Amino acid sequence: MAKTIYDKPTRALLKDMLVSWNLQPGQVFTAARAIQWFATNYPKLKPGSIRAHLVQAATNDPSRLHHPSTNITDDILFKVAPGEFRRYEAGKDPAPIREMVKGDIAKQEIEDIDIDRDGSEEINLPGSTEFLLEKDLQRYLAENLGCIEPGLKLYEDEDLRGIEYEAGGGRRIDILAVDRNGAFVVIELKVSRGYDRVIGQLLRYMNWVRRDLAELGQKVRGIIVCRSMSEDLRLACSSMNDVELFEYKLSVAVTKVATLQLRE
């Protein structure tokens, strides 16, 4: 059983919130309204945690499946737009997403690109080799964070995990971890060459964690992992003590296997 701050887990408190509002079918509420309700009734819960639980409860958000604990009891919301939800209506709404479906994930990533695109960002489109490699790299590192730093572990929020962690406005942190000293570590992945533009994205996520998730005085630092670092990125990070850069290398071994001998 995951550790909870209150006598009920946040996913149960979310249901209490809907009951207290007497929300009618089709009536939309915002994440901001939910955060305010929790601030009034359960002030120890952080806004970032509440946003993540809203994602888990949204039956049509593929990111809910990054949290293995998601089950039928979480099928209570339907996401109508970034940061906007209503009650899920069984039989009327599409069936809840229960497994990773390539098309759904691609659709979600396209939506994320539309949110983040500023005309200069390097984009890895869903289905491209770079996109698939980034997802493979994400899964591997999430399960082997010790290869980056001893004691580094995936962030857990009750039953939620720090993979594709909701960071407001439909944006998601690739990997959110915690180091052995209790500091948050925001990890941004790029399978291609790392350019200095990525530092703006990382800093936004770091400051979001400071504002919406971290405790007072809790440190937050960042890590960028990519295939190769551009000189511009290394220069941009040269005076940032709370940002580290890592390059990864892939290796493939091919071994010849003898065929079976057939009788003549």
Side-chain angles (χ1 to χ4, degrees):
M1 184 71 178
K3 183 179 179 181
T4 61
I5 297 177
Y6 294 97
D7 59 349
K8 287 184 178 181
T10 305
R11 63 210 301 181
L13 297 177
L14 196 61
K15 296 175 184 178
D16 291 346
M17 177 191 74
L18 298 178
V19 171
S20 72
W21 286 347
N22 191 27
L23 209 65
Q24 300 302 308
Q27 187 176 353
V28 176
F29 70 92
T30 64
R33 182 184 176 190
I35 289 170
Q36 183 57 52
W37 185 87
F38 275 92
T40 300
N41 296 280
Y42 300 96
K44 292 182 181 180
L45 292 172
K46 299 295 183 180
S49 174
I50 297 162
R51 289 184 184 276
H53 279 88
L54 288 171
V55 168
Q56 184 185 42
T59 57
N60 59 330
D61 193 329
S63 290
R64 71 197 310 244
L65 298 183
H66 289 294
H67 310 299
S69 65
T70 303
N71 57 58
I72 192 171
T73 64
D74 297 303
D75 297 340
I76 60 174
L77 299 178
F78 188 87
K79 182 178 178 181
V80 298
E84 296 184 1
F85 306 86
R86 60 169 171 78
R87 277 189 178 275
Y88 168 66
E89 298 181 54
K92 178 180 178 181
D93 292 326
I97 296 173
R98 299 210 184 282
E99 60 182 4
M100 288 290 186
V101 179
K102 185 176 180 180
D104 289 337
I105 297 299
K107 179 181 178 182
Q108 184 65 42
E109 294 294 335
I110 286 289
E111 291 173 355
D112 293 345
I113 288 170
D114 289 340
I115 290 170
D116 287 327
R117 177 172 284 163
D118 61 3
S120 62
E121 185 69 23
E122 181 185 22
I123 300 297
N124 292 331
L125 292 176
S128 68
T129 301
E130 290 80 6
F131 173 83
L132 297 175
L133 283 174
E134 187 166 308
K135 293 305 173 186
D136 287 339
L137 178 63
Q138 181 187 62
R139 283 191 291 269
Y140 176 81
L141 290 179
E143 296 174 0
N144 299 275
L145 286 170
C147 71
I148 296 178
E149 177 181 302
L152 198 62
K153 61 181 181 180
L154 196 64
Y155 172 67
E156 294 185 355
D157 175 8
E158 295 185 10
D159 291 323
L160 305 185
R161 302 196 307 162
I163 302 176
E164 296 286 336
Y165 198 85
E166 172 71 26
R171 298 175 177 87
R172 293 173 176 81
I173 298 171
D174 286 337
I175 298 176
L176 182 59
V178 179
D179 69 17
R180 56 187 171 189
N181 296 317
F184 275 110
V185 182
V186 177
I187 303 175
E188 184 66 19
L189 309 177
K190 297 295 177 186
V191 297
S192 56
R193 188 169 173 81
Y195 294 94
D196 59 348
R197 292 188 296 270
V198 72
I199 193 64
Q201 187 177 13
L202 179 69
L203 291 176
R204 180 197 179 280
Y205 290 150
M206 289 170 61
N207 284 321
W208 179 88
V209 171
R210 289 188 179 102
R211 185 191 67 184
D212 285 3
L213 208 57
E215 299 291 345
L216 185 64
Q218 187 175 13
K219 292 184 178 181
V220 180
R221 56 193 183 91
I223 288 176
I224 298 172
V225 179
C226 64
R227 187 179 62 199
S228 62
M229 297 291 171
S230 69
E231 185 174 345
D232 284 346
L233 178 56
R234 294 173 64 188
L235 178 62
C237 297
S238 60
S239 61
M240 296 181 180
N241 296 327
D242 55 356
V243 174
E244 294 179 286
L245 306 178
F246 286 80
E247 292 181 342
Y248 72 89
K249 293 182 180 179
L250 299 177
S251 62
V252 177
V254 179
T255 303
K256 185 176 181 179
V257 178
T259 61
L260 295 176
Q261 296 296 318
L262 300 178
R263 291 185 298 176
E264 296 182 357

